[in-house]
Amino acid sequence: MKQVFGKTKVLSANPTHYCPGCDHGIVHRLIAETLEELEVADKAIGIAPVGCSVFAYDYFNIDFNQAAHGRAPAVATGIKRTRPDSIVFTYQGDGDLAAIGTAEIIHAANRGENITVVFINNGIYGMTGGQMAPTTLVGMKTQTSPYGRDAATMGSPIRVSEIIATLESPAYVTRVTVNTIANQMKAKKAIKNAFTLQKEKKGFSFVEVVCICPTNWGKKPTDAHKWLAENMLPVFPLGTFKDIHGIEKA
Amino acid sequence: MAKVLMKGNEALGEAAILAGCRYYFGYPITPQSELPAYLAKRLPQVDGVFVQAESEVSAINMVYGAASAGARVMTSSSSPGISLKQEGISYIAGAELPCLIVNVMRGGPGLGNINPSQSDYWQATRGGGHGDYRTLVMAPNSVQEMADFTLAAFEYADRFRNPVLMLSDGVLGQMMEPVVMPSPKDYDIDSKKWALGYTGKDKTARNLCTSIFMGQEELEEHNWSLYQKYQVITDFFKANKELAVEEYLCDDAEIILVGYGIISRILKTVVEKCRKRGIKAGLVRPKVLWPFPSEIISKLADKASKFLVVEMSYGQMVEDVKLAVEGKKPVYFFGRTGGAVPSDFEILNEVDKIVRPD
């Protein structure tokens, strides 16, 4: 029988600690497949954040650094400047990247560090038990916004991709999701674009992936993906905000 | 090499380059500014990297990244900025990465002032950040030592896989003295096989840099292994006393003055003036503050009758001296704080009060 699909060897054999139905597994696979296809796994260095993906290093067969909360883009800067021929990426959630690590992501992007950032936006802190994130939708109930996020006192969801896209330096800024097979294919393309640009030393690439958190959203994975399409995507529209080398058209 | 006249901060920067350091990440703050300014100019001339970070927090995390990738790397700041770096220093210590962190101390607490101070001794020697860890702390007292200690610091950092903290102050950083630059060292980034991105043929498994050990047993085992390493560092300086401490006229001393950094220069003058007045004074100057040279001070306490600790703080290192003396002899303290530097005259008065109480 002809094998048409197999697990990439860049993913380890370790079972993940993620909740059933979580999107992290899908995004991990898309990154791992990309590293294999671009033949850069042997020189890839990942940076795991603080949050649910703190143990991401357990699931990839590549060199990894585990950073402090929000600091992954600074750590990536140090690594990439030291080893400019390596392929360096951070994998960060919305609490890590859009709250405590706001300064680090903005300035790494603005310096045009030749790294790739994969930003998982599910509008909530997962690891700590479902607190309000900077990307939590207005009205959304969380452990720390039990009456719903009130825009008047808690602000509105931060659209990080749009902010990054206002900077001169970044080469590629795009927002994707993985709620359907078709969207997973598009997300894979975006991730591959991002790493291709890095491989070609063409600058900072940023892929935001709008994801679900079935556990802390209190929804079944299928319902959560439906809820994402109906509620998250209108606030976080999919699309590419910056592509200075025109890689999507190439 | 010929003598050159340099500021302490600049001598340290040049010595870092001679030590093979090619990466500097920092954020502006007085009174350490000459150091990043010097390296911003010099590092590009030697194919090095200078990055002005968005904050001290980011700078130390860039150091964490570069160190994990095998670089000889450094950062510098002054007291309030060093407070901000503590999170990163804890991670670097936990992940056992070598690097140099320079603190050109100024007055605190809070924003304090930009005058020289020694009030970060506790922060430097007690960890500063969270968790069970130690940083090796060096205390130069001249522009020459700002250079010499920097070369030694990078060697210690690599040898022990541990962050090294250089505790300087606003005087040492800013003053000019003649200095003979040490000989350059070769450094090969691929000498660290554990580094991320190491691609040598002998690499058999992926490399990982982390400070998280989720299992209770796992973390306890890691922390005890750190403890063992700290014992090795302690034993190293016990066996190499000349690297850890400078003793001056201690053999027959009745009163021993204890001070580090710029204070030790003033204390040397005080000791000389005491001797002229017939007071048998001596000086102990720790060059390394952690591990603290307790054994040497303990032995001196068997002979000398009194100790006077002098600091530019209201008394921090004095606690370590008391621990070392173990109540065998009285330990007196004199300090100026808030950025004030005591004069030899003031200290001499204190000595007089102690040795001639009537």
Side-chain angles (χ1 to χ4, degrees), chain A residues 18-42:
Chain A
Y18 299 123
C19 300
C22 173
D23 285 341
H24 273 313
I26 297 168
V27 184
H28 281 20
R29 176 174 58 80
L30 300 182
I31 293 170
E33 287 174 356
T34 299
L35 296 176
E36 184 173 359
E37 288 162 20
L38 295 177
E39 298 178 335
V40 294
D42 60 335

Side-chain angles (χ1 to χ4, degrees), chain A residues 39-161:
Chain A
E39 298 178 335
V40 294
D42 60 335
K43 55 178 181 177
I45 302 172
I47 293 116
V50 169
C52 284
S53 46
V54 65
F55 297 119
Y57 58 79
D58 268 343
Y59 313 134
F60 290 86
N61 289 320
I62 59 170
D63 284 5
F64 242 94
N65 181 309
Q66 199 291 311
H69 202 19
R71 318 297 176 220
V75 174
T77 298
I79 294 174
K80 186 72 178 191
R81 296 293 186 114
T82 303
R83 296 197 184 260
D85 292 328
S86 56
I87 297 294
V88 178
F89 69 97
T90 70
Y91 187 97
Q92 303 175 257
D94 41 46
D96 192 85
L97 183 140
I100 196 166
T102 316
E104 283 79 3
I105 189 60
I106 295 287
H107 290 275
N110 196 43
R111 286 190 304 268
E113 298 293 341
N114 191 34
I115 59 171
T116 299
V117 173
V118 179
F119 169 42
I120 306 297
N121 175 8
N122 59 9
I124 204 156
Y125 284 73
M127 183 66 118
T128 43
Q131 293 83 12
M132 183 180 70
T135 48
T136 294
L137 302 187
V138 171
M140 196 168 158
K141 288 179 182 171
T142 71
Q143 203 182 74
T144 49
S145 58
Y147 307 108
R149 182 176 189 167
D150 175 10
T153 57
M154 303 169 189
S156 300
I158 294 180
R159 295 182 184 90
V160 180
S161 288

Side-chain angles (χ1 to χ4, degrees), chain B residues 83-100:
Chain B
S83 294
L84 281 168
K85 289 186 196 291
Q86 294 303 332
E87 174 199 50
I89 296 173
S90 170
Y91 276 70
I92 289 168
E96 293 192 79
L97 296 175
C99 68
L100 173 63

